[in-house]
């Protein structure tokens, strides 16, 4: 079946009406209390936690506002189509029953399409994260941007991994040099968004040293709505160093804030998120901070930087929900105490 833009526009409109009738408030980028969480890589299983649940299982509470589907990690695979990987939930290399579109390695994850719409009906936005540590960033920006629009948004294609579900944008988690011109890609996506029927977002996940080696130019030259800054796996600017006397203000969140204040980003209203690992072994163990430590850090930054601060980002869902206390719920509770909406956006 060929899914067309007209079908996706209808489904998006119906979804918006249902949300309004149900009294569900949608995602508000202007709030300083949002929580974004990466889902898809089941990293908690490596720490002896239960396997990640299907996407929809994480959308019935108010802990998470932004869900980042990780990852689209091969940009141009067999047949010229991208390749997805969602670990135990949808991965044809591990589960032969997962269907793949003919002549490609692009998986047909129909159940995820249902879950995406369920999460959106709960007021959350769902973004597709492109990249990851093992990404193969080998594509022409013009071709790839149109392909992403056709496969996952309001374009038209015979090959729709999530059927008629329409994601809310893309996230760029670029952790190595790229053959893809990411500035051109992001600019193309932002232009395609203007032809759509709803609000879309482009986000990025830079490492905490500023400027980020792989995403610095993107942030300076393309409109990025949110920066999910990874304050982990980087040593001197990790969350675990927060507040220490030898960690001067020029070497952490304040450096990003200073760049924000000095209009160093193409989007002067880009929201900055504090990224953390949601479990002791979700990343480098030395980067991890306890839920209480992270709550205090979030509240202090939220109070001090009311314009730039957007909330928290966590890696990943399996760790956040497999831990006690729930790391996402802990972050959300801390942020709601000082929640404000309606500022720069």
């Amino acid at each position: 079946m060929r899914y067309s833009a007209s079908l996706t526009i209808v489904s998006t409109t119906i979804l918006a009406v249902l949300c309004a009738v149900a009294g569900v408030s949608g995602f508000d980028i202007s709030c300083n209390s949002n929580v974004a969480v990466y889902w898809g890589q089941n990293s908690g299983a490596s720490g002896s936690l239960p396997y990640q649940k299907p996407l929809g299982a994480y959308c019935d509470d108010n802990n998470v506002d932004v869900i980042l589907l990780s990852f689209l990690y091969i940009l141009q695979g067999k047949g010229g189509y991208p390749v997805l990987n969602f670990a135990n939930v949808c991965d044809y290399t591990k589960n032969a029953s997962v269907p793949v579109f003919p002549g490609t390695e692009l998986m047909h994850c129909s159940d995820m399409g249902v879950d995406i719409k369920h999460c959106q009906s709960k007021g959350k936005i769902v973004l597709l994260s492109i990249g990851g540590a093992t990404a193969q960033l080998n594509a022409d920006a013009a071709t790839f941007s149109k392909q992403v629009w056709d496969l996952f948004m309001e374009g038209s294609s015979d090959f729709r991994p999530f059927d008629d579900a329409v994601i809310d944008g893309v996230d760029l988690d670029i952790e190595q040099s790229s053959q893809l011109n990411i500035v051109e890609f992001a600019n193309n996506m932002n232009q395609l968004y203007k032809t759509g029927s709803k609000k879309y977002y482009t986000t990025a996940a830079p490492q905490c040293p500023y400027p980020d080696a792989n995403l610095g130019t993107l942030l300076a030259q393309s409109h990025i709505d949110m920066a999910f800054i990874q304050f982990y796996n980087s040593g001197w600017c990790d969350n675990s160093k927060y507040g220490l006397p030898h960690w001067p203000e020029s070497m952490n969140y304040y450096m990003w804030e200073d760049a924000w204040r000095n209009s160093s980003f193409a989007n002067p209203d880009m929201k900055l998120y504090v990224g953390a690992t949601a479990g002791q072994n979700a990343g480098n163990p030395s980067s991890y901070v306890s839920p209480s430590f992270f709550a205090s850090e979030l509240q202090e930054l939220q109070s001090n930087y009311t314009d730039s601060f957007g909330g928290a980002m966590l890696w990943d869902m399996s760790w956040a929900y497999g831990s006690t206390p729930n790391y996402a719920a802990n972050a959300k509770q801390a942020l709601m105490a000082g929640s404000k909406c309606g500022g720069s956006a």
Side-chain angles (χ1 to χ4, degrees), residues 47 57 83 85 104 107 299:
V83 181
N85 181 290
T104 78
M107 298 182 298
Q299 289 178 332

Side-chain angles (χ1 to χ4, degrees), residues 156-179:
S156 178
S157 176
D158 290 327
F159 298 166
R160 296 271 302 187
F162 308 136
D163 294 330
D164 65 343
V166 178
I167 61 171
D168 299 294
V170 294
D171 170 64
L172 291 166
D173 180 15
I174 308 301
E175 302 185 17
Q176 63 235 348
S177 60
S178 172
Q179 293 174 292

Side-chain angles (χ1 to χ4, degrees), residues 37-57:
V37 186
Y38 283 85
W39 172 93
Q41 286 304 292
N42 191 33
S43 69
S46 64
S48 300
L49 293 178
Y51 276 28
Q52 69 180 358
K53 297 176 182 178
L55 176 63

Side-chain angles (χ1 to χ4, degrees), residues 17 35 46 48 60 99 102 104 107 114 153 159 168 185-186 206 242 275 288:
V17 172
V35 175
S46 64
S48 300
D60 290 327
T104 78
M107 298 182 298
V114 174
M153 300 184 196
F159 298 166
D168 299 294
F185 170 75
Y242 182 81
Y288 174 77

Side-chain angles (χ1 to χ4, degrees), residues 320-344:
Y321 276 75
S323 301
T324 304
N326 181 313
Y327 210 91
N330 171 79
K332 189 65 173 180
Q333 182 178 5
L335 290 167
M336 288 304 296
S339 180
K340 295 180 181 179
C341 302
S344 298

